Every structure is written in structure tokens, then in C-alpha cells.
Amino acid sequence: MRLTEIFVLMRARWKLALLVWLVVVALVAAATFLKQPLYTASAAVVLDVKSPDPIAGVILPGMSNSSYMGTQLGVVRSERVAMRVARTLGWDQDEQRRARWLEASGGQGDFNAWLAGGLLTNLEAVPTRDSNVITVSYTLPDPQRAAEIANAWVQAYIDTTLDLRVEPARQYTGFFDAHGKQLREELERAQARLSDYQRKNGIVATDERVDIENLRLVELSSQMVALQGLANETGGRQRQAAGNAEQMPEVLSNPVVAGMTAELGRQEARLQELGARLGERHPEIVELRAKIAEQRAGIASETRRVAGSITVSNNISQGRLAQARAAVEEQRGKLLQLKAQRDEAAVLQRDVEAAKRAYDTITSRASQASVESHTTQTNVSMLKRAAAPLRPSEPRTTLNLAVGVLAGFLLAAAAALGTEMRDRRLRTEQDVLRGLKLPLLGVLPERDNRPRRGARLRGRWAAQIAGAPGKNGGGALT
């Protein structure tokens, strides 16, 4: 439908449209002026989300985290805050309200929850854009009561945030105390095991003792190497003595053997000299040969004695080497035992340190939780207290009338259009073409039933002339 057709339709149905518009505006005006006025009192709180927590030392999440503000709005609108407001106002002790609750619910449910639900009906909490401020508004017919409830609500919200912070700390304090006692007992048991082990094994400074024993093992090993070299040397001389003792340096350098050998050489030289002059059976030759044999026997005896001393030296060296080896092995076993004791003591020491760290950690957390459980500060502060409003927030007369006028226009147009749809008329050329489905031959000009100004004047003059008497006393013209 074109705009011209709508204009023609509204001009034809203007009475109906005007009636509908008047009725709508009258109803809106009546509802507006008859409605009980409501007053909205507003209070505001500010959240300090950038300053560090004075106890925990951490920074709370900033406004960039929208979930934080959403959580705070949820706390403001929570049933827990509403119940605290009801207790602050003394409604939980009001017998009239309890009687209304019994009448409404028959005693089913929770009276405090019913009060909280009623309080939440008229509450509005909205965050201020791009800020840390939350505005809490409450609407009631009584402005003083609305301001009182708004202020009570803000204070209940602040107290609830403090409770939400303190209650977990109190619960943790009890847990930390009980767990701290258990950890302290474990630390005492671990320390007792370490002390008993050290006392049983005579350990005072495990690392120093191991170092000393290690140095002693090194020293014994060095002595064993030296004795091993000496034993090898004496063993070689003993083997040489068993095979060719006369050529041994000890025998050749022995003064007794050397003297006896020199004397033997002189006697042999004399024997050769006398044997050439006296003959083999000469008594002097026989005596000299006996002396030579005796001298050789003495040399052999002295050589055996020197070789025997070498054997004794070798036996002593071998004995000392065996003792050194035994001492090294004993020292090595002792050192291994000390290292095993040190390792076991280190395990016990680590147990003590672990138990001490756990106990220190739980003690620190218990102290922090104890401080948090006694705190009286929160990051929410009241920014503005609600005052009794002077003007009602509802009804909004100007807005309601403007909406009523606009709605009247729309409903008037709808009524005119609906009436036209039920009772179609041919008002324009397009209606004729759509209704008759025949070609349009021509359009007659609209007849103006109103008399023109000139015609009205001529008619009025003619009437005056016809009814007026003539100058000569004659009658009207016929």
C-alpha cells in the first residue's frame, strides 16, 4: 500500500483513528497519574583492585578481568547478602512477616530465604562503565525506607566480602594447626632417628672423618707400594743367592769374605811356589793344602751366612708387604663402611631437612592464615551513602505520555487499517484497477460541493434585493 493510499485511508477513517488515539492516551495518562509513586535510593561502593593485599602480598585481578566484576555483582545480588540485610533490619524477628510467610507458603521452605527473595525483587546493582564502582539501587514507595535498605545492603555486601575472605582463613587455620602438629611430630621422629644413628656409630662430623680415613688409606697405599718394590728387590737377590751366591754384591762386598778370599789367594800362590820345590808329599805342602781347604770352607760358610741374611731380609720384606696389604684392605673396608654410614646418615639428614621444610612451610601458612582470619579490612569501600530521594523515580509522566501518544498513533493507524481491510472501499484509481481488473478510461474531477465565494455573495445580494421594499413603495421583483 502506497503512502498516498494510506493518507486517503486515514482521511476517510479519521474519526475512528482519533477515537482510538484518544482512548490510548487517556488510558496511559490514567495509569500514569493513578499509579503509586515509587522512590529509588542509590548507594555506591568502590573496589580497590590494584593495590596489593597487605597480608598475602599479591595483587588482586584488575578490571580487565570481567569475571571479577561479574563475581562481585553476583555477590551483591546473592541470597546471603539479602539474608544479612533482613537480619540487620530485624525482619527475621518480625512476627507479622512470619505470619505472612506461613500464610503464603504453609510453613514450607525457609523463612529467611523467603525474606531474601522479597528483598531481591526491588534491588538493582549495576557497574559503572570503565570504573571500579558498583551502584546499588533500591525502589520502594517510602523514600526513607528505600534509602535505609540501600545503605543496609551496601554494608551487608561489604561485611559479606569480609566473611568470604575470613571464613576460609579460619578453616585453614584449624587445618594448619592440626597438620602442623603432625609435621612437628614427624620432624622430631626424623631428628631422633638421626641422633640415635650418629650416637650408635660415633659420628660427629661425618665428612671430616671420611676425609681423614681417606688420607690414611692413601698413605697406607703409598707404603704398600714402597714395600712391594723392596720385596721384589729382596726376592730377586734371594733367587740370585740360591743360584750363584759367590757373585752376589753382598758377598763380594763383605769384608770377612774379602779377607778370607785374599788369604786364600796368598796360600794358593805359596802352594804353587812350594809345590815346585818340595813335592806333593812334603809335610809343609800337605799342611798348606789343609789350610787352603779350611779357608775355602770358611769362605763358603760366610757366603752361606750372607745369603741367609738376604733370605731373612726377603722374608721380612714379604711379611711387611703382607701386613701393608692387610692394613690397606682393612682401611679400605673401614672407609667403605664410613661412606655407607655417611650415606645412611645423609638420608636421615635429608629426612630431617624435608620434615623441617614442610614444618616451616605449614607454620608460615598457619601464621598467615591466622592473621587473615582476624583481619577487619576488605578491598570494598563505601563511596556514597543513599539519601531519601525527593522526587519519585516512577511513574515517569513525560516519558509515559510520550510513549502513550506514540502508541496511540500506531494503534490508531492499525485500527483504521484493520477496519479498512474488513470493509474495502474504492477510494483511488489503484483500488479501481485492483478491484475491477479493468482498464481505466478516465478520471472525473472531484466535485466541490462547497459554494464559491462569488456565488455566495451573489446569492446573498439577490436575497436582499428580493426581500427589500423599493424606493417608490413597490413590492419584490417576480
Side-chain angles (χ1 to χ4, degrees):
M1 183 176 290
R2 298 180 180 180
L3 185 60
T4 56
E5 296 177 356
I6 295 176
F7 179 73
V8 172
L9 186 151
M10 293 301 294
R11 189 175 66 177
R13 304 285 186 179
W14 68 271
K15 293 182 180 180
L16 176 62
L18 179 60
L19 178 62
V20 172
W21 181 81
L22 291 175
V23 170
V24 172
V25 173
L27 291 176
V28 172
T32 299
F33 291 109
L34 293 177
K35 183 179 179 181
Q36 183 182 16
L38 298 178
Y39 296 85
T40 300
S42 298
V45 293
V46 60
L47 281 69
D48 184 11
V49 297
K50 294 183 179 179
S51 299
D53 190 331
I55 298 174
V58 297
I59 297 178
L60 297 175
M63 287 299 296
S64 58
N65 188 0
S66 60
S67 63
Y68 180 74
M69 288 300 293
T71 301
Q72 296 306 309
L73 290 174
V75 174
V76 173
R77 303 188 187 104
S78 65
E79 187 178 72
R80 180 172 179 173
V81 176
M83 288 182 178
R84 185 184 287 269
V85 173
R87 289 193 298 269
T88 302
L89 298 175
W91 289 7
D92 56 335
Q93 305 297 329
D94 192 343
E95 297 298 333
Q96 295 181 357
R97 286 186 171 82
R98 185 174 294 275
R100 288 201 297 269
W101 168 69
L102 292 173
E103 182 180 356
S105 63
Q108 299 295 326
D110 185 15
F111 174 58
N112 292 326
W114 180 77
L115 289 176
L119 285 169
L120 287 169
T121 304
N122 300 322
L123 174 73
E124 183 181 9
V126 293
T128 304
R129 185 176 181 181
D130 298 331
S131 69
N132 303 339
V133 177
I134 297 178
T135 302
V136 178
S137 302
Y138 205 82
T139 303
L140 280 179
D142 185 358
Q144 195 68 33
R145 173 63 74 174
E148 181 183 357
I149 294 179
N151 291 327
W153 205 288
V154 169
Q155 188 61 45
Y157 164 61
I158 295 174
D159 295 340
T160 300
T161 57
L162 182 61
D163 289 345
L164 292 175
R165 179 180 178 182
V166 170
E167 286 179 1
R170 291 174 179 172
Q171 295 175 0
Y172 291 149
T173 300
F175 168 76
F176 288 147
D177 289 341
H179 198 55
K181 293 180 181 178
Q182 180 181 356
L183 291 178
R184 181 181 178 86
E185 293 175 357
E186 292 180 0
L187 174 60
E188 292 176 352
R189 287 195 295 268
Q191 186 64 53
R193 287 196 298 269
L194 177 61
S195 300
D196 292 342
Y197 185 80
Q198 290 176 343
R199 184 171 56 255
K200 179 180 178 181
N201 294 277
I203 299 174
V204 178
T206 308
D207 294 335
E208 294 181 1
R209 187 176 178 184
V210 170
D211 294 338
I212 293 173
E213 297 297 336
N214 194 15
L215 291 175
R216 186 176 180 185
L217 176 62
V218 172
E219 183 180 355
L220 289 176
S221 299
S222 300
Q223 293 178 4
M224 186 186 71
V225 171
L227 289 174
Q228 189 174 9
L230 181 61
N232 291 335
E233 181 182 358
T234 56
R237 292 205 307 268
Q238 183 181 5
R239 287 190 296 272
Q240 184 179 2
N244 190 8
E246 294 81 3
Q247 302 299 324
M248 291 181 60
E250 288 82 357
V251 176
L252 295 177
S253 61
N254 188 278
V256 177
V257 175
M260 293 177 69
T261 302
E263 182 66 22
L264 178 63
R266 288 193 298 270
Q267 289 180 2
E268 287 179 350
R270 185 180 178 186
L271 177 64
Q272 290 179 356
E273 179 182 356
L274 292 177
R277 286 186 302 108
L278 299 178
E280 295 290 333
R281 295 185 178 183
H282 190 274
E284 190 176 354
I285 296 297
V286 173
E287 182 182 1
L288 186 58
R289 284 180 177 174
K291 290 181 179 181
I292 291 173
E294 183 180 357
Q295 193 71 23
R296 286 178 177 174
I299 293 173
S301 176
E302 188 65 24
T303 301
R304 287 194 299 272
R305 188 185 66 78
V306 173
S309 65
I310 293 174
T311 301
V312 172
S313 298
N314 181 54
N315 292 334
I316 293 173
S317 298
Q318 294 295 334
R320 292 177 62 188
L321 178 60
Q323 292 178 356
R325 285 177 178 173
V328 169
E329 292 298 328
E330 181 182 0
Q331 185 65 22
R332 184 178 288 111
K334 186 177 182 180
L335 184 61
L336 292 176
Q337 183 180 3
L338 286 177
K339 287 183 177 181
Q341 292 177 357
R342 183 187 65 178
D343 294 339
E344 188 171 355
V347 171
L348 296 175
Q349 184 66 36
R350 283 195 294 271
D351 292 341
V352 172
E353 292 174 356
K356 188 176 184 302
R357 283 195 300 270
Y359 178 69
D360 292 340
T361 301
I362 205 71
T363 303
S364 175
R365 291 291 296 122
S367 300
Q368 180 178 348
S370 177
V371 174
E372 290 182 359
S373 65
H374 293 87
T375 184
T376 58
Q377 300 297 324
T378 180
N379 67 320
V380 182
S381 302
M382 182 174 291
L383 185 64
K384 172 195 157 185
R385 290 187 62 85
L390 301 178
R391 295 182 180 179
S393 58
E394 294 181 13
R396 301 178 181 179
T397 306
T398 304
L399 179 61
N400 290 350
L401 291 179
V403 172
V405 169
L406 180 60
F409 280 123
L410 295 177
L411 291 176
L417 184 59
T419 304
E420 185 67 20
M421 290 301 179
R422 291 194 302 271
D423 185 12
R424 294 289 292 172
R425 303 287 180 90
L426 300 178
R427 303 184 186 280
T428 63
E429 295 87 349
Q430 296 298 328
D431 292 339
V432 174
L433 291 175
R434 284 195 298 267
L436 300 179
K437 298 181 181 180
L438 293 175
L440 183 63
L441 299 180
V443 178
L444 295 176
E446 184 178 359
R447 181 180 177 182
D448 190 1
N449 295 326
R450 295 175 297 174
R452 297 182 179 180
R453 181 177 179 83
R456 291 198 303 269
L457 291 176
R458 285 194 298 272
R460 188 181 303 166
W461 291 340
Q464 291 177 358
I465 293 171
K471 294 180 179 181
N472 298 325
L477 297 179
T478 58

